[in-house]
Amino acid sequence: MNSSSAKTVLVCHGAWSAGWAWKKMHPLMQAAGHRLVTPSYTGLGERAHLANPSIDLETHIEDVLNVITYEDLRDIVLLGHSYGGMVATGVADRARDRVAQLIYLDAFVPRDGQSLFDLNESGRQHLQDAAKSGDGWRVPPLQTPPDTSPADVEWLSARRVHMPVKCFETKLKLQNGEPTLPRSYIYATRITPADTFGPFAKRAQGEAGWRFYAIDASHSPNVTAPEALMTLLERIVA
């Protein structure tokens, strides 16, 4: 691959997860000539020791903005997975000069003033109750999709940690209005009965400025369908 088509892909990972969950994508990205950057948010993954009740969506947006600043990343393909769609939207808003395009992977797409709980009415009560019945400020991980291999379930279960509920409660504040940069939505079609991401797939199909893609995978194709995800990402960033 020639260097002009080499991209820097910066991942805003999902809840309970962290940079480690993108392990299978690193060799694939490298083989395609791209650089994959997968930072972990404060309080998750290898930064789990920093977990505290004050962590919210803003903390995680700052985490990723600091990676952009200190690594001097430019012309970024910003990829938000699941909860990471909340983070990526905030990052793109504040680092517009550094982000070339946005990709939402089975992710929440907030508008100004919306929290994840605003976008996930059906799941809100369950997640709030889970936090209350635990330590009061964290939500234990949700179950992995049924098509996840036993080896991957073991790998994930050993590493996923409780998620500060404040991250789901924080309303995103956009400083520059709706993002106008090129946006793509990847909808994982092996859905749960709740079909949490269906509304965002519909929005991407019906609203100007979006490209829409579907992938035959459950919610975390970076774990269960890395090759298929890589093929699709190659098409999108080309």
Side-chain angles (χ1 to χ4, degrees):
M1 170 171 281
N2 63 44
S3 59
S4 66
S5 57
K7 305 279 191 239
T8 297
V9 180
L10 174 60
V11 170
C12 298
H13 64 73
W16 304 288
S17 182
W20 59 264
W22 287 75
K23 179 176 81 168
K24 295 181 184 184
M25 298 304 296
H26 281 280
L28 300 176
M29 283 280 181
Q30 204 171 353
H34 303 307
R35 178 183 178 194
L36 180 64
V37 184
T38 58
S40 296
Y41 309 142
T42 303
L44 296 163
E46 72 277 16
R47 306 177 70 199
H49 61 291
L50 301 173
N52 69 78
S54 73
I55 292 170
D56 63 5
L57 175 60
E58 280 296 316
T59 314
H60 292 163
I61 291 169
E62 288 294 330
D63 284 335
V64 180
L65 287 170
N66 273 338
V67 172
I68 292 172
T69 301
Y70 287 94
E71 296 281 342
D72 195 24
L73 305 180
R74 296 165 190 277
D75 202 27
I76 298 162
V77 176
L78 188 63
L79 190 158
H81 175 232
S82 197
Y83 159 75
M86 304 291 301
V87 180
T89 306
V91 170
D93 174 56
R94 297 175 209 183
R96 291 192 176 203
D97 55 329
R98 300 292 188 98
V99 178
Q101 63 168 300
L102 259 169
I103 299 174
Y104 291 87
L105 172 60
D106 223 35
F108 294 98
V109 186
R111 297 190 190 275
D112 187 33
Q114 289 184 319
S115 70
L116 184 143
F117 278 157
D118 292 333
L119 300 174
N120 186 15
E121 288 286 347
S122 63
R124 177 196 297 227
Q125 197 60 53
H126 166 73
L127 294 166
Q128 284 173 327
D129 292 347
K132 284 193 189 83
S133 61
D135 56 19
W137 60 275
R138 279 189 291 197
V139 182
L142 296 179
Q143 267 187 309
T144 49
D147 66 343
T148 314
S149 75
D152 281 338
V153 171
E154 195 181 332
W155 172 56
L156 294 166
S157 305
R159 288 166 182 80
R160 298 207 305 163
V161 296
H162 288 39
M163 180 81 184
V165 72
K166 239 186 190 177
C167 298
F168 300 156
E169 295 167 345
T170 316
K171 294 187 183 296
L172 177 71
K173 293 183 189 69
L174 292 180
Q175 297 171 359
N176 304 294
E178 285 279 307
T180 50
L181 41 146
R183 289 181 288 179
S184 302
Y185 198 93
I186 301 174
Y187 179 50
T189 56
R190 295 188 192 180
I191 57 171
T192 62
D195 192 15
T196 309
F197 303 97
F200 309 107
K202 286 190 183 71
R203 177 181 162 188
Q205 285 170 291
E207 194 177 274
W210 288 92
R211 289 189 295 166
F212 176 79
Y213 303 86
I215 186 168
D216 175 24
S218 54
H219 180 56
S220 298
N222 50 299
V223 173
T224 58
E227 286 85 6
L229 178 59
M230 189 65 221
T231 302
L232 193 50
L233 290 175
E234 279 273 77
R235 264 177 63 200
I236 294 172
V237 304

